[in-house]
């Protein structure tokens, strides 16, 4: 397993506050804090400064469940290396990853970053911060569950061809079924790169089993599954051990579709 380093001088405050990890007002407080900064004009149109402002809040006020700089750097390198024309994100939260990866996508020559977020409140916060960062022409936010967002984007024609890259960071038990939906709709094929977060914290054995299995093994798994995928897709998958911004160990699963068995 590959490993990335963590700078503990940049650790976030604890996510947990009175037994809650989010949805306790911190997301709106983040937005209000950023827009009340005396240097707000310097943030406009500057993705890096907006990310820094989010990090500042999470280090000084309360922790946020963002991907953070360390794991984010792993994904940005993938974007630089693979140069996808578009990215689908499931689980946008307050827009940190959409800003970080949307900026990297634009710099790599890509055109569209689709971010799906279940919470209308989180999506509204994300949209405001994406606009502040000057990325509204690249990042499109859709409100809904992963399954709803995938289907709506597909039905509307926004996702009309094979995905270049997808980032899973939403409801953990939904990873496998939402990947299978993408497979079934023909959105995954040779060259598609899949990135799944939180593979240690909290972990996702069903997803890891699916992307690491052989075609024969997936055909057997699919027989007993209500959500059918395309077991004939051949994957090459690896795990990269990294760190949450809170300093807790985690891992990313990086999977590339390398072929289709006839």
């Amino acid at each position: 397993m590959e490993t990335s380093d963590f700078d503990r001088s940049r650790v976030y405050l604890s996510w947990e506050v009175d037994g809650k990890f989010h949805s306790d007002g911190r997301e709106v407080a983040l937005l209000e804090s950023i827009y009340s900064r005396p240097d707000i004009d310097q943030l406009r149109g500057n993705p890096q400064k907006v990310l820094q402002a989010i990090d500042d809040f999470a280090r000084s006020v309360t922790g946020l469940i963002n991907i953070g700089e360390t794991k984010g750097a792993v994904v940005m390198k993938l974007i630089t290396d693979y140069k996808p024309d578009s990215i689908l994100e499931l689980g946008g939260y307050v827009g940190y990853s959409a800003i970080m990866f949307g900026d990297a996508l634009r710099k790599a020559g890509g055109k569209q970053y689709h971010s799906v977020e279940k919470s209308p409140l989180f999506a509204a916060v994300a949209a405001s911060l994406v606009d502040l960062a000057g990325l509204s022409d690249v990042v499109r936010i859709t409100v809904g569950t992963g399954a709803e967002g995938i289907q709506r984007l597909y039905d509307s024609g926004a996702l009309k061809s094979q995905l270049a890259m997808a980032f899973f960071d939403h409801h953990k038990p939904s990873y496998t079924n939402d990947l299978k939906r993408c497979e079934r709709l023909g959105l995954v094929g040779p060259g598609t790169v899949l990135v799944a977060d939180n593979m240690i914290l909290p972990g996702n054995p069903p997803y890891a089993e699916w992307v690491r299995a052989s075609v024969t093994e997936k055909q057997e798994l699919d027989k007993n599954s209500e959500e059918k995928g395309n077991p004939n897709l051949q994957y090459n998958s690896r795990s990269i051990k990294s760190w949450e911004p809170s300093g807790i160990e985690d891992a990313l699963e990086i999977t590339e579709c390398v072929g289709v068995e006839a």
Side-chain angles (χ1 to χ4, degrees):
M1 180 183 291
E2 300 173 52
T3 305
S4 60
D5 296 326
F6 181 70
D7 181 355
R8 293 198 171 273
S9 70
R10 301 179 67 77
V11 69
Y12 276 14
L13 295 177
S14 174
W15 295 327
E16 187 174 1
V17 179
D18 297 329
K20 293 188 176 182
F21 296 84
H22 55 76
S23 306
D24 55 1
R26 72 184 75 183
E27 294 82 15
V28 173
L30 165 70
L31 192 62
E32 292 175 339
S33 174
I34 288 179
Y35 274 90
S36 65
R37 288 174 62 114
D39 63 345
I40 184 66
D41 286 339
Q42 296 178 31
L43 273 60
R44 299 186 191 282
N46 191 319
Q48 296 307 312
K49 287 190 178 295
V50 174
L51 291 172
Q52 183 180 337
I54 299 173
D55 287 332
D56 288 346
F57 179 92
R59 292 182 182 124
S60 62
V61 181
T62 186
L64 297 167
I65 54 170
N66 299 323
I67 189 170
E69 297 170 319
T70 306
K71 285 192 291 182
V74 175
V75 182
M76 285 195 293
K77 187 176 187 306
L78 291 172
I79 295 171
T80 299
D81 290 347
Y82 284 94
K83 294 179 172 52
D85 59 354
S86 63
I87 298 175
L88 171 66
E89 170 184 73
L90 303 182
Y93 191 41
V94 294
Y96 187 96
S97 51
I99 293 169
M100 178 178 280
F101 304 152
D103 183 42
L105 175 72
R106 184 169 64 181
K107 289 176 178 176
K111 302 298 183 184
Q112 192 72 68
Y113 190 98
H114 292 284
S115 179
V116 178
E117 170 52 50
K118 180 180 179 181
S119 165
L121 175 61
F122 296 170
V125 172
S128 182
L129 294 176
V130 164
D131 181 65
L132 180 63
L135 288 168
S136 294
D137 60 329
V138 175
V139 177
R140 173 180 174 179
I141 298 174
T142 298
V143 178
T145 65
E148 291 167 348
I150 293 165
Q151 197 65 51
R152 192 176 305 136
L153 290 168
Y154 178 81
D155 290 343
S156 70
L159 295 180
K160 56 188 176 182
S161 59
Q162 179 182 308
L163 291 168
M165 185 175 288
F167 175 56
F168 295 79
D169 193 19
H170 59 316
H171 180 239
K172 310 313 167 190
S174 298
Y175 278 26
T176 308
N177 283 348
D178 288 345
L179 170 56
K180 286 184 174 183
R181 180 177 292 268
C182 289
E183 293 176 345
R184 195 169 64 249
L185 293 173
L187 297 174
V188 179
T192 299
V193 177
L194 309 169
V195 183
D197 194 13
N198 303 126
M199 295 302 290
I200 290 178
L201 185 70
N204 206 320
Y207 179 87
E209 181 180 34
W210 182 257
V211 297
R212 296 175 188 176
S214 67
V215 167
T216 301
E217 290 168 337
K218 285 191 292 181
Q219 288 171 342
E220 287 301 312
L221 289 170
D222 220 30
K223 286 180 182 178
N224 301 317
S225 175
E226 292 184 7
E227 189 79 29
K228 303 298 183 182
N230 181 355
N232 294 325
L233 293 171
Q234 299 169 312
Y235 289 136
N236 184 359
S237 200
R238 71 187 193 277
S239 182
I240 298 181
K241 187 181 293 184
S242 191
W243 306 89
E244 292 286 349
S246 61
I248 301 172
E249 185 179 82
D250 198 11
L252 296 161
E253 186 79 9
I254 313 298
T255 305
E256 183 175 2
C257 182
V258 294
V260 184
E261 187 172 293

